[in-house]
Amino acid sequence: MAQSMSFFMVIVLLAFAPICLSTKTYGGYLFPQFYDRSCPQAKEIVESIVAKAVAKEPRMAASLLRLHFHDCFVKGCDASVLLDSSGSIISEKRSNPNRNSARGFEVIDEIKAALEKECPQTVSCADILALAARDSTVLAGGPNWEVPLGRRDSRGASLSGSNYNIPAPNNTFNTILTKFKLKGLDIVDLVALSGSHTIGNSRCTSFRQRLYNQSGNSLPDSTLEESYAAQLRTRCPRSGGDQTLFFLDFVSPTKFDNSYFKNLLASKGLLNSDQVLVTKNQESLALVKQYAENNELFFQHFAKSMVKMGNISPLTGYRGEIRKNCRKINN
């Protein structure tokens, strides 16, 4: 009897082994099939609305990808970035990294409204952000990946976390790497995810110091190619024009590819946080060279790093909630 019981236990363990491996692969309780029964149309609804938004305005792809990044680096991937100020909540939208630059909230609202109609209080805003980031990348010509799902939404926000945890354009390389490491991400994730700057825009105020006063000596950044710097100065003066937009990748600004890395090797990275990848660390420089030469490798690493980033401290199980409206907590 004991022998047959032990044989039975072995069979049970073997039967469940693939499930355990799958769970481990996608980090905790997150897995791509999470809504297959509760809301089978969820992924298609997100994709169709994102596709419509990006077709209307190609820049929206970068904006939605950035929202997911700015969410995950503050309190984990919990949709805290979407909350408006109310009651005891001070919105992360007021932080320096988000004020006058975070956008795409209306697209998320439209997706949420459609999902609430299809399957009420089932799909979290945090998962919407993760899916929208993936769909935006694909629509811009970038890699595809299965998005682990099952996140729940936070009931709070962190203005201070948004101000201090998100890497800033003028941070040093070591500061940026430290911010990544604190989230469980490594130097490969840093360089690969920086490649998202192959699409999108940045404001004059985010890189002005590189043009006029990089080190407090009233001199431009010596690591910025001179003719490119002169071109930037025509539209980004010493004062004024703070909100003027510039392509992060002037070669193919709406196409997700590896030209961003080629620009860095030519000393034509727009932000200080871009160019330091080749000037301040040999390991990151080597990765930049690899990605510049091998677009497929960049895509592989980017997809893997996005899954890894999407697994930063998710709320699962009974923690958090499923918001009815992504901008406010449930009453």
Side-chain angles (χ1 to χ4, degrees), residues 58-59 61 139-141 198-200 247 249 251-256:
R59 181 188 170 203
L139 286 163
T198 183
I199 56 174
F247 293 130
D249 168 11
V251 174
S252 52
T254 60
K255 185 181 179 184
F256 200 101

Side-chain angles (χ1 to χ4, degrees), residues 12-25:
V12 169
L13 287 170
L14 285 173
F16 280 93
I19 298 172
C20 297
L21 288 171
S22 175
T23 303
K24 186 178 180 183
T25 300

Side-chain angles (χ1 to χ4, degrees), residues 204-212 236-242:
C204 166
T205 186
S206 297
F207 61 87
R208 175 183 281 122
Q209 86 285 347
R210 298 192 71 203
L211 303 179
Y212 303 102
C236 184
R238 285 182 181 272
S239 61
D242 285 6

Side-chain angles (χ1 to χ4, degrees), residues 25-27 29-34 127 130-131 145-151 306-308 310-311:
T25 300
Y26 291 105
Y29 297 96
L30 305 183
F31 55 99
Q33 300 80 19
F34 189 84
D127 279 344
L131 287 167
W145 63 91
E146 277 199 304
V147 180
L149 300 166
R151 301 167 189 81
M306 283 296 291
V307 171
K308 196 171 169 183
N311 195 47

Side-chain angles (χ1 to χ4, degrees), residues 210-211 220-233 250 263-269 275:
R210 298 192 71 203
L211 303 179
D221 186 350
S222 60
T223 68
L224 186 61
E225 199 273 331
E226 288 185 12
S227 63
Y228 181 50
Q231 182 183 342
L232 294 172
R233 278 191 286 268
F250 66 91
N263 294 340
L264 296 188
L265 294 176
S267 300
K268 295 180 179 180
Q275 201 60 51

Side-chain angles (χ1 to χ4, degrees), residues 44-76:
E44 287 75 12
I45 289 171
V46 175
E47 183 182 10
S48 65
I49 294 174
V50 170
K52 183 179 68 174
V54 172
K56 183 179 179 182
E57 182 193 9
R59 181 188 170 203
M60 187 55 69
S63 298
L64 292 173
L65 180 55
R66 186 171 183 257
L67 267 187
H68 182 43
F69 181 90
H70 281 212
D71 180 42
C72 290
F73 266 69
V74 184
K75 297 172 71 270

Side-chain angles (χ1 to χ4, degrees), residues 115-130:
L115 287 170
E116 285 299 300
K117 186 176 180 181
E118 177 73 18
C119 31
Q121 267 190 285
T122 302
V123 182
S124 69
C125 301
D127 279 344
I128 291 172
L129 284 173

